[in-house]
Amino acid sequence: MKLDLLLRNADIITMDPDRPGARSLGIWQGLVVGLDEDLDGLATAEILDLGGATVTPGFIDAHCHTTWFGLGLAELDVSKARGLGELYALLEDAVSASGNDAAGVKAKAWLMATGFSQQQYGGEFPDIRELDRITGEQPLFMRHNSGHMAVVNTAALRLAGAESPSYADPDGGVIVRDAAGRPTGLVQETAQALIQELILPYSVGEIEAALDRATRHYASEGITSFTEAGVGGGWIGHSPVELAAYQRAAANGKLHARAQVMPVLDVLHRLDGHGDDGSGAAGLDLGITSGFGNEYLSLGPAKVFLDGSLLGETAAVSHEYCSHGQKDNTGNTGYFQAEPALLRERIEAAYVAGWSVAAHAIGDRAVDLAIDILAECDSKYGPRVLPNRIEHASMTRPEQLERLAALGIAVTPQASFFHEGGDGMSASLGPERLRWAYRASSFLSAGVTLAGSSDRPVADGKVLRGMQAFVDRRTSSGAVFGNPAERLSPYEALAAYTTGAAEATGTSAVKGSLAPGKLADFTVLSGSPLDAGNIAELHVLATAVGGRFTHNTLTALQHSS
């Protein structure tokens, strides 16, 4: 055997408990062949001397929105604006660039903006009258960074037929109105779909280009695998043939990381003809279910939304949100995206067909519902090919931990929320419930699989920052978010984005650690995250998927043997 690549003179953190560290690593046909003495006497086509740099398994982001992120890279980014004046100025510049004018001459093209958060504006939302003055008849769709709401103008509402005060809110959503019944421009949860239906679907070519942009960015941050949390339909999907865009991107070399794709539950439909396999089954045609695909592109669990968000105070909680600032939350306990009985029926239908389930459940009341449904499905039909998951699991009461562990349900709490959203969530929850928020250490202590993820572009997707956030839990004000005892060690934080994420995605047999026979997915760092003063300050020097570099600043060190 002749190795394709030999890494040497490296500080290799394998995340394999049987062999936690090494100095050399050999790669052949996309796989790890061996470490250190395993490689003695083997010839190699190429040697990379890393000069003491650190090598870890490739980072896995177990919950992100890659198409959305990639599209956003080509849209107006308002995330850096501070104060409504700066926001309005950005919109004015964009309107001018789009060819609209101050007199409101009609423009057919939508003005798409991304990255809005009222927390950058003292809790205020834009005045729809000011938005209308700026945009005229050009329709505006400005997504909130949580993804659970958006800001639109009157032109957009008019196109959707939703401008009238008498227009009824859709199930699971709200068109926010003032005391006189006039729309404020804020649309929450499923109400976003009223506007999005006018924009969708994006073409396969547009999505392919978005995936190219997004995954190149991922590669620069050390990400070698990710899970796309919702495609094909609902308010989170971008096209009914979104998976085809993924296939095309992979075939054309424009998918620069391994992808596990979750179809939203909305796109599954009744499957007839096999009554003996379970009546009422719902899935995709040909009986395709979770796990279908290959090591580069595969189908994950079916994604279902049970509730909303903590940032938007729409997550289903057991006790009302605290009133704060000018916000009166009396009686507000959030809401489910549909009636619990209907959610149970739809989830069971997918489970019967063979799908694992990833339930978006943020509030503790939604976590209760998710656990109950998944426990019933597991009891009736047994385990699925991939683990069932609760996405976010942002508020979990102590008694819920044991149930999660017993059922083998993985969780994906995002440490990336702490910096920008921690102070706002603290005000919404109050000190008593704050100890339940975004657990980490107690998940591990209870035996619950904890997967590192970002929810990008809802929050910062840089894995190194996410690791540091798990370690220090600092908000933008410098406070520690939630319970300080939930902090992770640097090793546990690294494990969340490697072995933990691999286990949660059902891929631990082939990734998550650097061991013989596993995929040669790795990240080269400027230093070790295990002893760095600040993990976020480390640099990604190179990223490789299957032994091939998707990002590399080390070319000067390479030479052939």
Side-chain angles (χ1 to χ4, degrees):
M1 175 190 295
K2 185 176 183 179
L3 299 175
D4 297 320
L5 177 65
L6 171 67
L7 306 181
R8 71 179 183 189
N9 192 20
D11 172 22
I12 302 172
I13 304 171
T14 67
M15 302 305 291
D16 177 0
D18 294 332
R19 191 170 192 169
R23 301 294 296 175
S24 300
L25 182 146
I27 297 165
W28 178 71
Q29 293 191 356
L31 301 175
V32 175
V33 170
L35 301 152
D36 291 347
E37 67 276 5
D38 300 338
L39 309 172
D40 289 348
L42 293 179
T44 182
E46 192 169 17
I47 297 172
L48 179 56
D49 188 312
L50 291 176
T54 297
V55 175
T56 71
F59 300 151
I60 304 170
D61 188 333
H63 179 117
C64 56
H65 302 284
T66 305
T67 301
W68 172 14
F69 175 61
L71 290 168
L73 291 174
E75 295 173 350
L76 174 63
D77 182 4
V78 301
S79 62
K80 304 302 182 187
R82 296 295 181 268
L84 290 176
E86 288 189 18
L87 174 65
Y88 294 147
L90 286 173
L91 293 173
E92 285 177 334
D93 290 344
V95 168
S96 177
S98 71
N100 205 3
D101 62 25
V105 175
K106 289 186 178 181
K108 294 181 179 179
W110 281 77
L111 175 54
M112 303 292 295
T114 189
F116 172 79
S117 173
Q118 76 276 19
Q119 297 196 40
Q120 309 303 339
Y121 310 99
E124 289 188 90
F125 287 88
D127 187 327
I128 193 170
R129 293 168 297 184
E130 189 65 12
L131 295 178
D132 291 345
R133 180 193 67 78
I134 294 169
T135 59
E137 290 300 312
Q138 182 171 21
L140 166 70
F141 186 81
M142 180 164 58
R143 178 118 41 167
H144 190 274
N145 70 350
S146 71
H148 289 267
M149 63 181 93
V151 174
V152 300
N153 62 356
T154 299
L157 289 166
R158 187 178 301 123
L159 287 171
E163 181 185 6
S164 170
S166 63
Y167 189 89
D169 289 334
D171 290 340
V174 175
I175 301 171
V176 179
R177 302 177 187 277
D178 63 20
R182 293 184 296 263
T184 65
L186 183 63
V187 290
Q188 296 178 332
E189 304 299 343
T190 59
Q192 296 177 94
L194 299 171
I195 311 300
Q196 289 175 300
E197 286 172 358
L198 304 172
I199 303 167
L200 299 175
Y202 287 90
S203 71
V204 170
E206 288 174 308
I207 297 174
E208 181 184 12
L211 294 173
D212 187 16
R213 287 191 295 269
T215 57
R216 285 182 187 277
H217 193 96
Y218 287 5
S220 72
E221 295 178 348
I223 296 171
T224 57
S225 293
F226 66 93
T227 295
E228 169 77 89
V231 302
W235 60 262
I236 201 66
H238 297 88
S239 165
V241 294
E242 202 161 349
L243 182 59
Y246 264 92
Q247 289 181 289
R248 197 163 99 173
N252 293 336
K254 295 182 179 180
L255 191 63
H256 309 288
R258 302 184 195 274
Q260 182 185 72
V261 179
M262 293 181 182
V264 295
L265 198 68
D266 309 55
V267 305
L268 306 188
H269 53 268
R270 183 179 177 88
L271 299 174
D272 293 316
H274 284 276
D276 56 336
D277 294 337
S279 61
L284 296 180
D285 292 327
L286 301 179
I288 295 170
T289 60
S290 301
F292 180 80
N294 56 36
E295 291 166 348
Y296 210 88
L297 176 60
S298 63
L299 287 174
K303 169 77 178 292
V304 56
F305 287 91
L306 300 190
D307 68 346
S309 77
L310 283 180
L311 290 172
E313 297 178 341
T314 58
V317 293
S318 55
H319 300 84
E320 65 186 27
Y321 291 100
C322 298
S323 297
H324 54 94
Q326 297 181 344
K327 183 71 177 291
D328 180 7
N329 272 318
T330 302
N332 179 18
T333 58
Y335 51 86
F336 291 117
Q337 296 277 305
E339 287 298 318
L342 177 60
L343 289 167
R344 185 184 301 270
E345 178 183 329
R346 295 178 65 210
I347 290 171
E348 184 173 359
Y351 205 92
V352 168
W355 287 92
S356 303
V357 173
H360 168 112
I362 287 185
D364 64 309
R365 189 157 56 100
V367 172
D368 275 334
L369 180 61
I371 293 174
D372 289 346
I373 293 173
L374 293 176
E376 184 176 334
C377 287
D378 184 77
S379 175
K380 282 185 178 181
Y381 309 110
R384 305 291 84 172
V385 173
L386 302 180
N388 292 316
R389 299 167 39 157
I390 293 182
E391 305 307 297
H392 312 296
S394 306
M395 289 186 64
T396 47
R397 301 188 308 277
E399 67 271 20
Q400 292 172 325
L401 300 178
E402 184 177 345
R403 295 191 70 197
L404 289 167
L407 290 164
I409 299 172
V411 297
T412 63
Q414 286 80 27
S416 49
F417 288 168
F418 301 160
H419 182 76
E420 293 296 334
D423 292 323
M425 289 188 288
S426 297
S428 295
L429 297 176
E432 293 184 14
R433 283 181 295 172
L434 199 54
R435 298 181 68 83
W436 304 348
Y438 286 92
R439 296 178 182 273
S441 181
S442 59
F443 278 137
L444 296 179
S445 296
V448 179
T449 298
L450 171 67
S453 67
S454 67
D455 205 17
R456 190 201 311 248
V458 176
D460 187 343
K462 190 173 183 181
V463 172
L464 294 172
R465 289 179 184 159
M467 286 186 202
Q468 183 61 35
F470 268 131
V471 170
D472 64 31
R473 298 180 69 90
R474 292 289 179 185
T475 70
S476 58
S477 70
V480 175
F481 178 70
N483 186 354
E486 294 291 350
R487 289 168 167 161
L488 297 183
S489 70
Y491 183 88
E492 290 170 332
L494 176 59
Y497 289 95
T498 53
T499 53
E503 186 174 349
T505 55
T507 58
S508 58
V510 295
K511 67 175 75 165
S513 62
L514 295 172
K518 289 198 170 184
L519 297 170
D521 297 354
F522 61 87
T523 302
V524 182
L525 302 174
S526 58
S528 172
L530 304 185
D531 54 24
N534 185 331
I535 300 172
E537 293 178 354
L538 297 176
H539 299 289
V540 174
L541 304 179
T543 306
V545 176
R548 297 191 175 197
F549 287 100
T550 53
H551 170 73
N552 188 8
T553 65
L554 298 168
T555 52
L557 297 178
Q558 295 185 46
H559 65 273
S560 299
S561 63

